Amino acid sequence: MTPTTQRSGWAEQAARALTEAGYRRGGARRAILELLDEQACALSAQEIQRALGGRRRAVSRASIYRVMEELEAIGVVQRVELGQGIVRYEAVRRGPGHHHHLVCDRCGRLEPFTDAGLERAISRLSDRVPLKVSVHEIVIHGACRVCAR
Amino acid sequence: MTPTTQRSGWAEQAARALTEAGYRRGGARRAILELLDEQACALSAQEIQRALGGRRRAVSRASIYRVMEELEAIGVVQRVELGQGIVRYEAVRRGPGHHHHLVCDRCGRLEPFTDAGLERAISRLSDRVPLKVSVHEIVIHGACRVCAR
DNA sequence: GCAGAAGACGAGATCGAATCTCATAAACAT
DNA sequence: ATGTTTATGAGATTCGATCTCGTCTTCTGC
């Protein structure tokens, strides 16, 4: 097949997790997993549908939402909402690949960032909180260089 | 009037900011400001409409969304999206009152929290980021004590 | 292999939060 | 007061997300 991704085999892990959870194989799921594995940042359902329709295999909206729900349920995908009223999805990765988001509220530009200090603070916090923590999400809003001028 | 709030005069500050930005006074705005000032945590448009309809002065959906947009534009209100696909709004406060959110993904329970370490990390980060930062938002997802059992 | 059962998928209907339109009511300046 | 501008509300509209249900595919047992 294609060499697909530089970053480990997230898609393979996810596929395995699906199997273990009792799901069968399917073309839509496979296409979606491969696409998500290639992304550096979060995609909306619409973006996913377009990307898959262009190259690869077309997938219906219904399948996208359904598969995303399954992937989120088994913990390999995270929904993120970055302030434009639409839901985005991205692969959950540990270590490298794990990131958060900078959003330009004027042009909508989206950029990932990482920060060790922040992760440390969150990790410490996670133990003190009245919640069995699954994932966290940090969004920094502002004006990007172009828009701030 | 009512003693309204323990925490400074957020509503008054916001009203002043509106005036300075060239807006006139209006019943809907006033009611919304007072309601937001009393809240410990974020409210959805629907929750705002219900709360205002119950006591106080009924306000239309159109006005709620319009006023929220204005308040966000002048920086006194922040939109937050906590993962249920609906937008919530809350007063932007500095120091006490400033908080982030714990969300139970099973029952939807929403709880505010604060953490000095986190704020320090974010503040340091803000200087290094290619963005003129306005606000930040941290959401921790998990299962609350009741749901996790 | 092959047939049957169970699950995966897609097309289109449906839902509902958010937005838009436009007529009317309030606020402000003079 | 009076005219002008802005604020507000009722209802239509948009569009992302969800649901329905018939068809296609995968898997299991023979």
Side-chain angles (χ1 to χ4, degrees):
Chain A
M1 296 301 106
T2 53
T4 307
T5 174
Q6 310 84 326
R7 289 182 290 282
S8 88
W10 177 86
E12 289 74 38
Q13 288 179 241
R16 211 172 309 131
L18 279 170
T19 301
E20 280 166 21
Y23 292 101
R24 295 185 179 175
R25 289 143 180 270
R29 282 208 195 99
R30 206 167 97 80
I32 290 173
L33 288 182
E34 287 178 8
L35 179 69
L36 288 180
D37 199 7
E38 295 166 359
Q39 304 307 312
C41 208
L43 292 183
S44 68
Q46 190 177 241
E47 288 166 344
I48 292 171
Q49 184 165 32
R50 272 197 202 127
L52 291 178
R55 343 163 258 136
R56 223 183 297 267
R57 175 188 190 287
V59 169
S60 72
R61 234 158 311 151
S63 291
I64 293 172
Y65 286 112
R66 192 188 313 115
V67 171
M68 288 309 172
E69 195 180 325
E70 296 162 358
L71 294 174
E72 195 196 3
I74 63 173
V76 299
V77 157
Q78 177 176 3
R79 292 162 59 104
V80 296
E81 293 179 54
L82 303 175
Q84 291 101 40
I86 62 173
V87 175
R88 290 170 184 276
Y89 303 89
E90 66 183 1
V92 171
R93 302 177 192 275
R94 280 167 261 143
H98 176 71
H99 63 263
H100 295 291
H101 301 98
L102 303 174
V103 181
C104 175
D105 289 328
R106 303 203 196 159
C107 68
R109 212 166 112 65
L110 182 59
E111 196 170 335
F113 76 90
T114 61
D115 186 75
L118 208 49
E119 296 303 329
R120 240 175 287 127
I122 291 247
S123 150
R124 264 180 305 222
L125 175 63
S126 293
D127 301 327
R128 296 202 300 280
V129 124
L131 204 70
K132 187 164 168 287
V133 176
S134 56
V135 294
H136 60 264
E137 184 182 347
I138 298 172
V139 186
I140 296 186
H141 292 271
C144 73
R145 277 174 179 157
V146 179
C147 292
R149 190 138 12 137
Chain B
M1 293 303 107
T2 52
T4 305
T5 174
Q6 311 82 326
R7 291 182 287 283
S8 86
W10 176 86
E12 289 74 39
Q13 288 179 240
R16 213 172 307 131
L18 279 169
T19 301
E20 280 166 22
Y23 293 102
R24 295 184 180 175
R25 291 143 178 263
R29 282 208 194 97
R30 206 167 97 81
I32 289 173
L33 288 181
E34 288 178 7
L35 179 70
L36 287 180
D37 198 7
E38 295 166 358
Q39 304 307 312
C41 208
L43 291 183
S44 68
Q46 191 178 234
E47 288 167 344
I48 292 170
Q49 185 166 31
R50 271 197 204 127
L52 291 178
R55 337 163 263 138
R56 221 181 300 266
R57 176 189 188 285
V59 171
S60 72
R61 233 157 315 153
S63 291
I64 292 173
Y65 286 111
R66 190 189 314 113
V67 170
M68 288 309 171
E69 195 180 326
E70 296 163 357
L71 294 174
E72 194 195 4
I74 62 173
V76 298
V77 156
Q78 177 175 2
R79 290 163 57 104
V80 296
E81 294 179 53
L82 302 175
Q84 291 102 39
I86 62 172
V87 175
R88 290 169 183 277
Y89 303 89
E90 65 183 2
V92 171
R93 302 177 192 276
R94 280 168 261 142
H98 175 71
H99 63 264
H100 296 293
H101 302 97
L102 303 174
V103 181
C104 175
D105 288 329
R106 303 202 197 160
C107 67
R109 214 168 112 65
L110 182 60
E111 196 171 336
F113 76 89
T114 61
D115 185 76
L118 208 50
E119 295 304 329
R120 241 176 285 126
I122 290 246
S123 151
R124 264 179 304 214
L125 175 63
S126 293
D127 300 328
R128 297 201 300 280
V129 126
L131 204 72
K132 186 164 169 290
V133 176
S134 57
V135 294
H136 60 264
E137 182 181 349
I138 298 172
V139 185
I140 296 187
H141 291 272
C144 72
R145 278 175 176 156
V146 179
C147 292
R149 190 152 0 158

